[in-house]
């Protein structure tokens, strides 16, 4: 079952138990983990466990999602793990996500041995960017959205020019709209197969998060007050 069900895989790898009050996956988190929509937006209240659920989903992708990278010189197909991009509005949120990912992986020694970055105490590096790499070729890179794109079209820091197979936008309603327009949208246009998940507690603005949740039929919304 764990080969086809992300929840069963997580339970097998990390010991989740529905009978436990402290180490179980909530029902709405299971729905998010199982959701196969290519474009998913999660609209939830604070303290609902968005970061934990998304960390779990990113770990699942890193170890299980196979991406066709083309062919080598002998014509053999190259299949590797995904390039995962995490974008947050603030440094503290990025640190929190990577700590959640690291904490999960450290619960399983066999999975931890597949990580090639970091030191004895950490499974990821923080400079020049937050990054975790696996032996299967998967990578998880983290970026802070910063102040946005300048008037001349520049800005956006190290996010500009990046590529990804999976994008996760944390607290999307607080990420500058111009970063979404000039950095994220080009990736989605040039790589139509990119999987995108965006989560946020709405802050009241009628921006892209509002649009993706309530007006775009090509996005799957998961609403939990």
């Amino acid at each position: 079952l764990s080969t086809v069900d992300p929840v069963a895989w997580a339970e097998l790898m990390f010991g989740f138990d529905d009978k436990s009050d402290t180490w179980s996956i909530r029902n709405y988190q299971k729905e998010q983990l199982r959701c196969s929509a290519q474009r998913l937006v999660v609209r939830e209240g604070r303290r609902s466990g968005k970061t934990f659920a998304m960390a779990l989903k990113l770990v699942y992708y890193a170890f299980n999602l196979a991406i066709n990278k083309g062919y080598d010189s002998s014509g053999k197909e190259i299949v590797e793990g995904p390039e995962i991009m995490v974008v947050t509005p603030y440094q503290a949120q990025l640190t929190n996500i990577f700590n959640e990912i690291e904490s999960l992986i450290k619960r399983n020694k066999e999975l931890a041995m597949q990580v090639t970055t970091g030191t004895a105490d950490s499974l990821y590096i923080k400079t020049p960017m937050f990054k975790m790499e696996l032996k299967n070729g998967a990578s998880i890179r983290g970026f802070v959205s910063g102040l946005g794109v300048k008037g001349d079209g520049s800005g956006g820091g190290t996010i500009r020019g990046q590529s990804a197979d999976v994008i996760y936008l944390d607290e999307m309603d607080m990420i500058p709209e111009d970063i979404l327009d000039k950095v994220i949208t080009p990736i989605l246009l040039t790589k139509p197969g990119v999987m995108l998940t965006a989560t946020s507690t709405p802050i009241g603005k009628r921006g892209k998060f509002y649009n993706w949740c309530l007006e775009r039929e090509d996005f799957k919304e998961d609403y939990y007050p």
Side-chain angles (χ1 to χ4, degrees):
L1 184 58
S2 67
T3 64
V4 294
D5 180 15
V7 174
W9 181 85
E11 291 173 341
L12 177 67
M13 294 297 167
F14 306 120
F16 291 107
D17 187 348
D18 287 339
K19 297 179 182 179
S20 172
D21 293 331
T22 58
W23 194 243
S24 60
I25 306 174
R26 299 168 185 170
N27 287 335
Y28 60 90
Q29 292 173 327
K30 291 180 180 180
E31 291 182 4
Q32 295 164 9
L33 192 57
R34 287 180 171 132
C35 183
S36 60
Q38 189 176 0
R39 304 281 189 267
L40 173 65
V41 281
V42 178
R43 180 164 57 110
E44 289 184 8
R46 300 196 183 282
R47 305 301 301 168
S48 58
K50 296 189 297 294
T51 299
F52 177 75
M54 290 304 109
L56 195 54
K57 189 159 189 168
L58 295 182
V59 169
Y60 175 78
Y61 281 152
F63 283 98
N64 294 278
L65 192 61
I67 303 296
N68 186 333
K69 299 291 186 178
Y71 299 87
D72 63 16
S73 58
S74 62
K76 183 179 179 180
E77 187 178 40
I78 302 173
V79 178
E80 294 182 346
E83 292 181 281
I84 300 173
M85 174 190 289
V86 178
V87 181
T88 68
Y90 301 113
Q91 180 85 23
Q93 293 164 316
L94 188 60
T95 301
N96 188 30
I97 292 172
F98 269 77
N99 285 345
E100 288 277 19
I101 291 172
E102 179 185 64
S103 178
L104 282 166
I105 295 176
K106 281 185 174 181
R107 283 180 170 267
N108 187 310
K109 292 183 179 179
E110 292 184 0
L111 294 184
M113 290 176 62
Q114 298 302 309
V115 180
T116 60
T117 48
T119 63
D121 297 324
S122 177
L123 297 181
Y124 66 93
I125 59 176
K126 297 182 179 180
T127 54
M129 70 183 73
F130 278 52
K131 182 169 65 175
M132 179 183 292
E133 294 181 335
L134 276 59
K135 290 182 180 179
N136 68 354
S139 65
I140 305 174
R141 291 166 294 143
F143 305 90
V144 177
S145 61
L147 299 177
V149 179
K150 300 175 183 177
D152 61 359
S154 63
T158 55
I159 316 177
R160 291 180 67 85
Q162 297 289 333
S163 179
D165 303 303
V166 177
I167 298 175
Y168 170 49
L169 305 177
D170 181 57
E171 293 297 348
M172 176 184 164
D173 226 5
M174 299 172 68
I175 295 176
E177 295 280 311
D178 48 5
I179 286 289
L180 300 173
D181 289 334
K182 300 290 181 64
V183 178
I184 303 302
T185 299
I187 298 176
L188 301 180
L189 291 176
T190 56
K191 297 184 68 174
V194 170
M195 301 183 72
L196 170 69
T197 298
T199 66
S200 194
T201 299
I203 62 175
K205 72 178 184 180
R206 298 296 179 93
K208 270 194 166 47
F209 185 70
Y210 179 94
N211 175 257
W212 290 0
C213 285
L214 301 179
E215 299 175 351
R216 289 280 294 270
E217 294 184 356
D218 54 331
F219 281 78
K220 168 70 174 178
E221 185 206 20
D222 187 19
Y223 171 55
Y224 190 81

